[in-house]
Amino acid sequence: MKQKLLLLSLLMLSLAGFAQPIDWNKKLPSDPHVVTGKLPNGITYYLRHNEEPKNRASFFIIRDAGALLENDDQNGLAHFLEHMAFNGSKNFPENNMISTLERHGISFGGNLNAYTSQNETVYNISDVPMDDEALTDTCLLILHDWSYYLTLDPKDIDDERGVITEEWRTRNTSSTRIFKQKQPILYHNSKYAVRDVIGNMDVIRTFKPETLRAFYHKWYRTDLEAITIVGDFDVKKMEEKIKKVFSSIPAVENPEPRPFFEIPSHDETFFCLATDKEATSTNIQVVRVFRDKSLDGKGYNTYQDIKNDLMASFYNSMIGNRIGEIIQRGQAAYVNASIGFYGLVRGYYAYSISATAKPNQEKEALIGAWQEHERVLQHGFTEEELNRVKTNLMTSLESMLKDKDKTKNDAYAEEIQDHFLTQAAIIDVEDYVAAVKEILPTITAEEVAEQAKKWWKADNRSIIISGPSEGVTHLTEQEARDIIAEMEGKTVEAYQDNSVKGNLIEKEPEAGTIIKIKELPQFDAEEWTMSNGAKVIFRKADFEKDVVTLSAYSPGGSSLYTDLDLLPAASNAGQFTASYGLGSFDAISLSKYLTGKNANTQVAISGLYESVSGNASPKDFETMMQMIYLRFTAPRFDPQIHDVLIERNRITAKQSAGRPQTMMRDSIRMITSDYHPRVQLFNDSYIDKLTLDRIEKVYRDRICDASDFTFFIVGNVEKAAAKEMAQKYIGSIPSLHRKEKWVNHNIKGPEGKVEKNIAIPMEVPKSNVTLMFNKDMKYNLKDAYTINILGKILTNRYTKTIREEQGGTYGVGVSGSATREPYNNYSMYMVFECDPEKAEILKPFLYKEVDLILNEGVTEEELNKVIKNELKEAEQSKHHNSYWLGTLMTYYKTGVNTNDPKNMEDLIASIKPKDVQKLAKKFFKEADVVDLIFSPEKK
């Protein structure tokens, strides 16, 4: 490893020696694939042809306007306006916009959405089928209406007030409340300190429609607007359409300049203690916020900008790696820590020293984190550390290059958005990689470390401590200041970078052989039976050029254990062993060994199966296969790391105990399993069972015996190479020739109807309404698809009734599903949050819509909306490795080929309204019901 890094260093130096000097102010080349222009009214447009996915496009309208532009009487109206954009416009009155798009399989919330932030508002219509020109014209007309022609009907505004109020209630979590306490300190005396996007609920409940219209017509204007369309279309033709549709939108006369929002500088160091009763962890942060006036809120445009960006990335990565090593070795005085530079808000940056403390150890956590900050200031980084992050970057960029034609439309749109909002360069990936290759040799470890002296100065600092308001002793302001005064400049030792030697596998395994080959023409795949009994199914798939995926399963899982004390070990074995390392390498040395390699593997043990999986670039396919071999033959069990993990788990259990989300989650688990003894809650008793010997016992029992595993290899690797690697690294795994099956322990919900109203302590009053239907019924594919579709139909109905008409919730989550294992079962899950005063009023609407479907059925239109979306999503998923892995695994577990249209597309398309009603009657009749309301405890 050391030799490899030395060679890389010499290569960098040689490149630097012979390369032409870089003009650091040279502008980056613009992506030639992006066509851009500006209409006479000031609207900017961007168009890019892209074919991932094929025959799809994404439409965006980007606004350089957000919550910071609000007056005090408009606090929250930028976000409110975003909601109103879906509730009526000139060409799409009432809810017609949503229903029109849903008829083409474009789902509200999934493909049709928007977001508002402090600085911008962005709307999107994604994954639009491009085989219907009328649909393209419809999407352009929607963007046209969003631009200038929203109805903003007073009745619609009043209906939406309740929805926004419930969104505020849903989002009003402990972290939100703590952030609001931090805002006045972090963004001292600036607009950022008083605008949190969701706004002031008094304003939301009482503002007059003309106040919203004033914001709309002042800031939703052509000079602050960009139309972006990326996808599989004729760019010239689309440009003509843009000019035709958007040129008539009038420009605002004498527009008020769009201000840059400053955060005033301060010489003194501020202090904030932000607490909340429901907070689950304590964090200590010392942060400096500063403005880089050379950028003035602009993104990178020059070679120097890329170099600065790379140095910041390397700085953060290297110091993060050091912190990871300290935690892995059990030497950390904190649960976690983070040190580094990042963008904060437009035009402002932050350098932060932050630590998540162990309970009542804030002093130790701050000292521990500060030491690593000082270590860099005093001694910098080693060239070996820098070479590792450089190598990993180039590996990532090379992978990106190979799969550049698989970049999704929305990813390109994000880059365009950055250009419009911050004037960042739009650069083609090939040009970017070429620039990085030119710049990398010029970056030294010394120069990266020097950046901290630019970022970390005595001004504009704040000390922010956040955490629970009860049960923890927090540092006082003076104590925190004293620690910082003591630590700043205090001598620390240099970091010792231990190099890694040796091979992943010390002794070459004795390869097995393939004793039987079975063709699978329906999948364009082969099944290989190995001499040790393992089955390997291989399918070459080169749609994703730089990915090979492996997945393997064996039946049994934790269901085979009657000793209940082994169940926690089984559930956590994969997560724990991932931290132990592999073979002769601990986790730290394994990470260093894998520098420049794109390969990873993991293990999981579930109730019914044990599984091993991995991903790699084709060039690192053998490394992944070696790691798979070691997962079976040389797992590592590290007592030191185990103790670290146990301590972290105990802290998590203690901090989450008694919190509302924990109490709701635990209650639901116990009630829906009818208090089955195999269902165990995460607490100290559970953690006591997570001993190293139990984890090792379960792991060695489950992850062994190749003969009981079925392996699937899908990706861009030649068959001959896959065969060779399979024989060498799968065929050599020992076999016990067990014939195991999972055991059904009959973990089911209670019979009949269970109805409970459970009071729990909470800071912001909100009720959680949870309704679950379950019924054992014979499994068949059509019914399985139908129960899923029924859940989506109910989602749309509840959006209309409970969210829009009643203004009762931000959204109702509904999920309908069917399972084969461990028994045939169908379920429907419904959940929403609301005002506690409305819970008993709104809950009956859940039942009412079910009854309407039972009595009246569903309409052809609402069914077709869901089916079109299902078919569109299914079509887009094909070709990807994940699709073929899922298809092959389903076939081997069930014998059903879901790649055959008659088992998927044709079957889904054949579902009629009468089928949905029939399934609903069969399912809901005599279904077991769990009906819960979690309400705030009365104080």
Side-chain angles (χ1 to χ4, degrees):
M1 178 65 178
K2 193 168 186 178
Q3 185 181 24
K4 176 183 172 185
L5 292 173
L6 179 60
L7 288 170
L8 179 66
S9 254
L10 293 171
L11 174 63
M12 296 289 184
L13 286 171
S14 67
L15 287 172
F18 290 104
Q20 293 295 318
I22 296 174
D23 176 3
W24 294 108
N25 293 318
K26 184 169 72 172
K27 292 285 186 182
L28 297 167
S30 296
D31 185 346
H33 304 97
V34 177
V35 172
T36 185
K38 183 173 279 194
L39 301 178
N41 58 9
I43 292 177
T44 304
Y45 62 86
Y46 301 87
L47 305 172
R48 192 192 203 283
H49 181 79
N50 184 49
E51 296 185 8
E52 177 49 29
K54 288 281 287 181
N55 193 38
R56 298 284 186 270
S58 292
F59 296 72
F60 289 78
I61 186 166
I62 304 163
R63 298 208 166 276
D64 192 12
L68 293 177
L69 296 170
E70 299 163 343
N71 300 327
D72 288 344
D73 65 341
Q74 298 170 329
N75 189 357
L77 297 198
H79 172 249
F80 198 106
L81 184 58
E82 173 217 311
H83 278 238
M84 293 305 301
F86 300 95
N87 288 335
S89 67
K90 177 182 177 181
N91 293 288
F92 301 92
E94 299 177 340
N95 224 26
N96 286 358
M97 181 185 298
I98 295 172
S99 59
T100 298
L101 291 174
E102 285 181 335
R103 282 195 287 272
H104 294 276
I106 300 166
S107 64
F108 179 53
N111 307 127
L112 175 65
N113 216 327
Y115 79 84
T116 305
S117 73
Q118 290 168 314
N119 268 304
E120 75 261 9
T121 307
V122 179
Y123 298 85
N124 70 284
I125 314 171
S126 297
D127 292 335
V128 176
M130 294 304 289
D131 50 5
D132 182 350
E133 189 168 357
L135 177 57
T136 299
D137 293 340
T138 296
C139 291
L140 291 173
L141 194 57
I142 289 172
L143 266 60
H144 163 274
D145 280 14
W146 278 339
S147 175
Y148 192 77
Y149 301 102
L150 297 185
T151 310
L152 302 180
D153 181 88
K155 180 184 180 302
D156 293 335
I157 289 173
D158 287 340
D159 287 345
E160 202 66 23
R161 294 182 200 268
V163 175
I164 300 289
T165 302
E166 293 312 313
E167 182 176 358
W168 167 85
R169 195 185 309 279
T170 295
R171 297 188 187 280
N172 199 330
T173 61
S174 173
S175 59
T176 301
R177 294 190 292 272
I178 281 179
F179 181 72
K180 281 189 73 68
Q181 295 173 60
K182 294 178 181 180
Q183 267 184 294
I185 298 299
L186 194 60
Y187 304 118
H188 179 68
N189 280 349
S190 75
K191 202 83 178 277
Y192 288 101
V194 293
R195 292 291 181 267
D196 64 355
V197 181
I198 194 70
N200 181 300
M201 287 306 105
D202 288 337
V203 171
I204 296 300
R205 284 188 286 264
T206 62
F207 75 86
K208 295 179 180 178
E210 51 264 34
T211 308
L212 183 64
R213 290 194 192 99
F215 182 87
Y216 178 48
H217 290 298
K218 182 175 183 179
W219 296 115
Y220 270 45
R221 64 191 206 214
T222 52
D223 61 308
L224 300 178
E225 173 181 313
I227 303 300
T228 298
I229 308 171
V230 182
D232 194 1
F233 54 82
D234 184 312
V235 171
K236 271 195 172 181
K237 191 173 179 181
M238 188 67 76
E239 187 173 25
E240 291 169 5
K241 286 178 179 287
I242 291 284
K243 291 176 179 177
K244 181 179 178 181
V245 172
F246 293 94
S247 292
S248 61
I249 297 172
V252 173
E253 293 184 14
N254 302 315
E256 181 177 322
R258 202 280 195 203
F260 174 85
F261 291 92
E262 295 193 6
I263 302 174
S265 294
H266 54 93
D267 292 328
E268 69 272 40
T269 297
F270 296 142
F271 178 84
C272 171
L273 174 61
T275 63
D276 189 84
K277 191 179 286 188
E278 294 174 7
T280 58
S281 61
T282 298
N283 185 269
I284 310 97
Q285 180 186 32
V286 185
V287 59
R288 177 177 181 256
V289 175
F290 56 97
R291 180 178 176 187
D292 187 335
K293 290 189 177 181
S294 68
L295 293 177
D296 234 2
K298 294 179 174 62
Y300 63 74
N301 278 280
T302 66
Y303 276 68
Q304 184 64 55
D305 293 334
I306 288 187
K307 182 174 183 177
N308 293 342
D309 190 58
L310 290 173
M311 288 193 293
S313 174
F314 292 158
Y315 185 97
N316 293 348
S317 294
M318 288 188 286
I319 205 164
N321 291 339
R322 289 185 180 184
I323 289 168
E325 288 185 18
I326 293 167
I327 293 170
Q328 286 274 352
R329 293 194 177 103
Q331 300 167 339
Y334 37 74
V335 175
N336 212 334
S338 174
I339 301 170
F341 168 90
Y342 56 92
L344 185 67
V345 293
R346 192 180 294 182
Y348 285 87
Y349 302 87
Y351 183 88
S352 167
I353 304 164
S354 174
T356 301
K358 298 174 182 179
N360 296 312
Q361 292 188 37
E362 293 177 16
K363 176 180 179 180
E364 293 81 358
L366 178 55
I367 289 173
W370 202 287
Q371 282 177 333
E372 298 315 307
H373 162 72
E374 284 293 336
R375 208 178 308 280
V376 174
L377 290 181
Q378 294 175 29
H379 305 288
F381 297 106
T382 69
E383 288 296 335
E384 196 167 43
E385 285 180 286
L386 179 62
N387 284 335
R388 282 198 294 270
V389 294
K390 282 183 177 181
T391 303
N392 286 334
L393 171 68
M394 287 311 304
T395 298
S396 174
L397 292 178
E398 285 163 8
S399 178
M400 190 191 306
L401 266 181
K402 288 173 185 172
D403 273 322
K404 69 170 189 171
D405 60 334
K406 301 302 179 290
T407 304
K408 297 286 183 71
N409 293 331
D410 290 13
Y412 281 123
E414 285 180 17
E415 188 178 9
I416 290 169
Q417 177 180 316
D418 287 343
H419 178 267
F420 179 69
L421 296 174
T422 69
Q423 291 77 58
I426 306 175
I427 181 169
D428 181 72
V429 63
E430 290 186 357
D431 289 330
Y432 178 76
V433 173
V436 170
K437 284 182 177 179
E438 192 177 353
I439 292 166
L440 271 186
T442 73
I443 299 175
T444 65
E446 181 181 4
E447 188 178 13
V448 174
E450 281 293 313
Q451 299 305 300
K453 295 175 182 176
K454 181 173 72 173
W455 301 327
W456 188 246
K457 296 179 181 177
D459 61 348
N460 298 310
R461 291 189 193 178
S462 298
I463 304 166
I464 300 174
I465 299 175
S466 61
S469 56
E470 298 176 355
V472 177
T473 302
H474 295 294
L475 287 174
T476 65
E477 179 176 353
Q478 191 56 53
E479 286 171 335
R481 290 182 184 276
D482 288 345
I483 292 167
I484 293 168
E486 179 188 351
M487 291 303 300
E488 198 143 27
K490 185 175 181 179
T491 302
V492 294
E493 294 180 354
Y495 167 75
Q496 296 299 315
D497 190 7
N498 299 317
S499 59
V500 177
K501 297 178 181 178
N503 298 314
L504 200 55
I505 295 179
E506 297 297 336
K507 183 181 178 183
E508 287 289 298
E510 188 175 334
T513 59
I514 296 173
I515 61 173
K516 182 181 177 183
I517 296 177
K518 179 181 177 181
E519 297 287 340
L520 299 169
Q522 67 273 43
F523 303 110
D524 193 21
E526 282 187 0
E527 174 191 291
W528 307 326
T529 301
M530 314 300 291
S531 53
N532 60 356
K535 275 192 169 58
V536 179
I537 293 82
F538 168 75
R539 185 186 194 279
K540 180 171 181 182
D542 58 3
F543 182 77
E544 292 156 324
K545 294 181 179 62
D546 203 44
V547 182
V548 183
T549 309
L550 180 145
S551 189
Y553 72 85
S554 168
S558 63
S559 73
L560 299 182
Y561 299 125
T562 55
D563 180 355
L564 302 187
D565 287 351
L566 290 176
L567 300 184
S571 297
N572 290 274
Q575 175 191 343
F576 273 54
T577 54
S579 298
Y580 296 152
L582 190 59
S584 61
F585 292 83
D586 62 22
I588 297 168
S589 57
L590 180 63
S591 176
K592 290 180 179 179
Y593 175 85
L594 292 173
T595 295
K597 297 181 186 295
N598 184 359
N600 65 80
T601 58
Q602 48 274 326
V603 166
I605 301 173
S606 66
L608 305 181
Y609 293 92
E610 47 271 354
S611 62
V612 182
S613 57
N615 279 281
S617 292
K619 71 179 180 64
D620 299 315
F621 177 51
E622 183 168 10
T623 299
M624 180 190 73
M625 295 296 283
Q626 289 176 337
M627 293 169 74
I628 293 290
Y629 172 78
L630 291 175
R631 291 289 175 201
F632 281 90
T633 62
R636 186 181 178 89
F637 300 93
D638 190 320
Q640 183 181 34
I641 301 303
H642 180 81
D643 289 344
V644 172
L645 295 172
I646 290 297
E647 181 189 29
R648 291 165 73 91
N649 274 273
R650 289 201 188 282
I651 290 170
T652 300
K654 181 179 180 181
Q655 291 174 332
S656 62
R659 300 307 193 261
Q661 290 300 321
T662 305
M663 296 174 74
M664 284 190 283
R665 182 195 66 214
D666 290 351
S667 297
I668 290 171
R669 286 194 69 204
M670 298 313 294
I671 293 168
T672 56
S673 66
D674 205 15
Y675 301 90
H676 198 287
R678 296 183 72 84
V679 177
Q680 302 179 32
L681 301 181
F682 181 71
N683 50 33
D684 272 338
S685 175
Y686 181 96
I687 296 168
D688 287 341
K689 298 169 187 173
L690 288 173
T691 60
L692 182 61
D693 62 325
R694 284 195 181 111
I695 286 177
E696 182 171 0
K697 177 181 178 179
V698 169
Y699 186 101
R700 291 191 184 280
D701 177 48
R702 295 293 86 217
I703 311 301
C704 63
D705 193 7
S707 68
D708 204 33
F709 272 83
T710 304
F711 295 80
F712 301 86
I713 300 172
V714 175
N716 191 18
V717 60
E718 296 301 325
K719 186 194 297 184
K723 273 185 178 180
E724 180 187 353
M725 294 297 102
Q727 289 176 99
K728 186 174 183 179
Y729 295 113
I730 295 176
S732 58
I733 298 170
S735 290
L736 302 175
H737 299 286
R738 301 183 297 192
K739 297 297 179 186
E740 294 183 322
K741 293 183 178 179
W742 46 258
V743 176
N744 179 9
H745 291 282
N746 211 35
I747 303 174
K748 295 185 176 183
E751 295 183 354
K753 184 174 185 178
V754 172
E755 191 168 3
K756 291 179 182 286
N757 195 321
I758 301 170
I760 57 176
M762 58 178 71
E763 289 299 284
V764 171
K766 66 177 81 170
S767 283
N768 176 291
V769 178
T770 299
L771 183 58
M772 287 164 281
F773 297 86
N774 270 283
K775 189 175 184 181
D776 293 354
M777 299 193 314
K778 187 176 180 180
Y779 184 97
N780 67 71
L781 269 178
K782 186 171 183 178
D783 283 352
Y785 292 134
T786 305
I787 192 84
N788 173 54
I789 287 168
L790 174 59
K792 294 184 177 182
I793 290 172
L794 284 168
T795 299
N796 293 339
R797 288 195 175 197
Y798 295 144
T799 297
K800 182 179 179 182
T801 55
I802 300 177
R803 173 178 157 131
E804 300 296 341
E805 293 176 2
Q806 298 298 315
T809 185
Y810 181 48
V812 181
V814 186
S815 175
S817 61
T819 56
R820 290 184 177 91
E821 300 169 337
Y823 50 85
N824 289 187
N825 177 265
Y826 290 67
S827 64
M828 187 71 70
Y829 179 88
M830 309 166 178
V831 61
F832 66 87
E833 289 184 336
C834 65
D835 184 337
E837 301 297 322
K838 294 183 177 180
E840 296 287 0
I841 298 169
L842 296 172
K843 186 176 75 171
F845 283 92
L846 296 177
Y847 289 99
K848 180 180 177 182
E849 293 299 339
V850 169
D851 289 339
L852 283 171
I853 290 174
L854 294 177
N855 296 324
E856 302 174 10
V858 301
T859 67
E860 190 88 39
E861 182 181 15
E862 65 181 333
L863 173 60
N864 285 341
K865 286 178 181 178
V866 175
I867 285 179
K868 283 232 176 184
N869 183 255
E870 290 291 295
L871 294 175
K872 179 171 72 74
E873 295 296 319
E875 183 187 344
Q876 287 176 205
S877 71
K878 290 196 171 186
H879 309 299
H880 292 279
N881 289 4
S882 57
Y883 169 84
W884 287 109
L885 272 175
T887 299
L888 288 165
M889 291 178 76
T890 297
Y891 179 74
Y892 271 80
K893 286 183 178 181
T894 69
V896 177
N897 175 10
T898 53
N899 189 51
D900 186 336
K902 74 173 186 290
N903 291 326
M904 193 177 188
E905 294 96 334
D906 295 351
L907 199 54
I908 292 173
S910 74
I911 295 171
K912 305 299 180 189
K914 65 179 181 180
D915 298 318
V916 178
Q917 186 180 28
K918 180 181 176 182
L919 184 278
K921 287 180 175 179
K922 184 167 69 168
F923 170 67
F924 286 112
K925 184 181 179 183
E926 298 179 359
D928 298 319
V929 182
V930 173
D931 181 323
L932 307 175
I933 296 179
F934 295 96
S935 298
E937 193 174 73
K938 293 182 179 178
K939 298 181 180 179

